[in-house]
Amino acid sequence: DPKIIQKPKYLVAVTGSEKILICEQYLGHNAMYWYRQSAKKPLEFMFSYSYQKLMDNQTASSRFQPQSSKKNHLDLQITALKPDDSATYFCASSQFNQDTQYFGPGTRLLVL
Amino acid sequence: GQQVQQSPASLVLQEGENAELQCNFSSTATRLQWFYQHPGGRLVSLFYNPSGTKHTGRLTSTTVTNERRSSLHISSSQTTDSGTYFCAIGDNAGAKLTFGGGTRLTVRP
């Protein structure tokens, strides 16, 4: 059974629209993260949350907003989508500041 | 900020050959993790290895912290080893991982 669930698996959006990427983890971890992987850049860190509080934000744009409604949820809202936002977005989790991070299967976003 | 350099960028092997993947990083890392990315995109953690040597199956990771380098050795490669291998580091300042550019491995039958 998958321990980190990301929904949807694939997403196609039009420029200017808004989408929410869903992430749920069932590993009992207290830290969750978002990373992005595009054709132009290597895997890059976006956000980290611990106990539902923002710990680190490396995303320059306020169009990206993480949302944590539950301890094991960390969704990513993206507004005013641009073609450059096209990428695979990975959610990850761990015990905060310890050891191994585990990654979800990713959501592949294409903005037309 | 931290930088992670991986080499080679790509590698082609015949099945049965060994591979040595390198990771060099710019600053002291208290956390280091090796990942394998399936051709379909899924990321799998192979090792958490900030120092020393670890083995699992045909894989061996060796990290020399004070030399800021780590290696991943794959012995007797198989076609199913094909994919991209990433090294990522983290420090005590936060929990984020900084990834290298990856090594794309192709193992031919």
Side-chain angles (χ1 to χ4, degrees):
Chain A
D1 291 334
K3 299 299 185 183
I4 301 179
I5 297 171
Q6 289 190 244
K7 294 183 285 189
K9 187 174 182 179
Y10 301 101
L11 189 54
V12 180
V14 296
T15 297
S17 67
E18 172 182 316
K19 293 294 180 184
I20 296 179
L21 281 55
I22 305 294
C23 177
E24 307 169 8
Q25 58 91 4
Y26 296 94
L27 294 165
H29 291 157
N30 52 31
M32 296 184 71
Y33 316 83
W34 279 102
Y35 291 82
R36 174 172 53 192
Q37 183 178 37
S38 68
K40 298 177 182 178
K41 295 182 180 181
L43 272 153
E44 56 179 350
F45 170 84
M46 300 179 72
F47 299 97
S48 64
Y49 266 64
S50 178
Y51 295 101
Q52 296 184 263
K53 294 183 179 179
L54 179 67
M55 301 304 295
D56 194 1
N57 176 358
Q58 297 288 317
T59 303
S61 173
S62 61
R63 296 186 299 107
F64 295 86
Q65 291 292 328
Q67 300 171 345
S68 181
S69 59
K70 298 180 183 178
K71 176 185 173 183
N72 67 328
H73 284 231
L74 186 63
D75 301 335
L76 181 63
Q77 179 185 39
I78 314 175
T79 58
L81 279 160
K82 302 177 180 180
D84 275 353
D85 297 333
S86 298
T88 299
Y89 291 80
F90 288 98
C91 175
S93 72
S94 75
Q95 287 300 103
F96 176 65
N97 214 24
Q98 293 182 14
D99 297 349
T100 306
Q101 290 188 16
Y102 297 90
F103 280 68
T107 291
R108 190 170 294 181
L109 172 65
L110 176 63
V111 183
L112 302 175
Chain B
Q2 292 174 325
Q3 293 184 358
V4 183
Q5 299 292 333
Q6 289 187 245
S7 61
S10 63
L11 183 60
V12 180
L13 300 175
Q14 287 298 128
E15 197 168 25
E17 292 182 328
N18 298 333
E20 187 88 5
L21 282 56
Q22 302 293 338
C23 174
N24 293 276
F25 38 96
S26 60
S27 58
T28 301
T30 57
R31 295 182 297 120
L32 187 143
Q33 203 166 340
W34 279 97
F35 292 89
Y36 167 68
Q37 186 167 39
H38 288 264
R42 188 166 188 103
L43 270 169
V44 175
S45 177
L46 297 175
F47 291 103
Y48 172 78
N49 188 24
S51 66
T53 298
K54 291 191 175 181
H55 305 273
T56 181
R58 295 179 293 104
L59 304 180
T60 301
S61 169
T62 299
T63 300
V64 184
T65 309
N66 60 358
E67 294 184 11
R68 300 177 185 172
R69 59 180 176 87
S70 182
S71 64
L72 179 66
H73 183 84
I74 305 173
S75 61
S76 303
S77 62
Q78 300 176 359
T79 56
T80 51
D81 295 332
S82 296
T84 304
Y85 293 79
F86 290 99
C87 170
I89 65 171
D91 60 25
N92 284 329
K96 71 175 183 180
L97 289 174
T98 300
F99 281 78
T103 293
R104 179 171 291 183
L105 175 65
T106 303
V107 182
R108 293 182 173 157

